[in-house]
Structure formats: C-alpha cells, structure tokens
Amino acid sequence: MGGIELLTITVLAVFVGFEVVSKVASILHTPLMSGANAIHGIILVGAITVAGQATDGWVLAVGLLAVVLATANLIGGFVVTDRMLEMFRGRNVSGKGGKDAAAPEKGGAK
C-alpha cells in the first residue's frame, strides 16, 4: 500500500470512530473506556516489541516515542475511567461527616 491509501484509511477510520463514539449513550461511556484501556494495553505491548527489535536509530526513536505516548494514554484512560466510576458510587448515608454531610444552618435555630 502506498502513502495515499494509508492516509485515506486513517482519515476514514477517524471519521467512523468519531461518529460511532458520539452516538453512544452517556451511561455506556464507562464500559467503552474500559474496552479502550484494554486496547491501549495491547498497543503498549506492540510499541515495546517494536522498540525492543529496532535496528536503526530512527526506528528506536519512534518506538520509544510510541512507548511513552501509549503509556501516557493508558494511564490517562484509567484516571478518566476512575473519575467516571466515582460518579456512580453511592453517597455517604451514615451521617458521620465527610464531604457529603449536611452543613449546619447559618444563624442557628429560630
């Protein structure tokens, strides 16, 4: 395949991916992120493999850059997924303080 064909496939994949993800309901974004994190883990393994088998200097540089970017993407995905899961956790119902405890009224009882 030539460069034009690869560029065309990449542009079409970006458009299709954007359309598919934008149509997903909000409640399904957390499972979608978990699946994306699994894919990013596979990409990280591939980047490590490419960097480990590099014979040329530029291939090693691109492989190491891929390892750094894939690692940042993987960690960022887990951070975002954790924040999304925080939205679904229950609030503190025991009434023993914490962020969710009711604040006392100003001015006291009337």
Side-chain angles (χ1 to χ4, degrees), residues 11-31:
V11 169
L12 289 174
V14 167
F15 284 130
V16 169
F18 177 77
E19 287 298 317
V20 168
V21 171
S22 66
K23 304 286 189 263
V24 173
S26 297
I27 195 73
L28 296 177
H29 278 288
T30 301

Side-chain angles (χ1 to χ4, degrees), residues 56-96:
D56 294 335
W58 68 274
V59 175
L60 179 61
V62 171
L64 291 176
L65 178 65
V67 169
V68 169
L69 293 176
T71 302
N73 201 4
L74 184 66
I75 292 171
F78 279 115
V79 169
V80 169
T81 302
D82 188 51
R83 283 187 180 178
M84 291 174 76
L85 288 174
E86 283 290 325
M87 293 188 303
F88 295 107
R89 292 201 175 114
R91 294 182 177 242
N92 185 4
V93 294
S94 65
K96 295 185 179 180

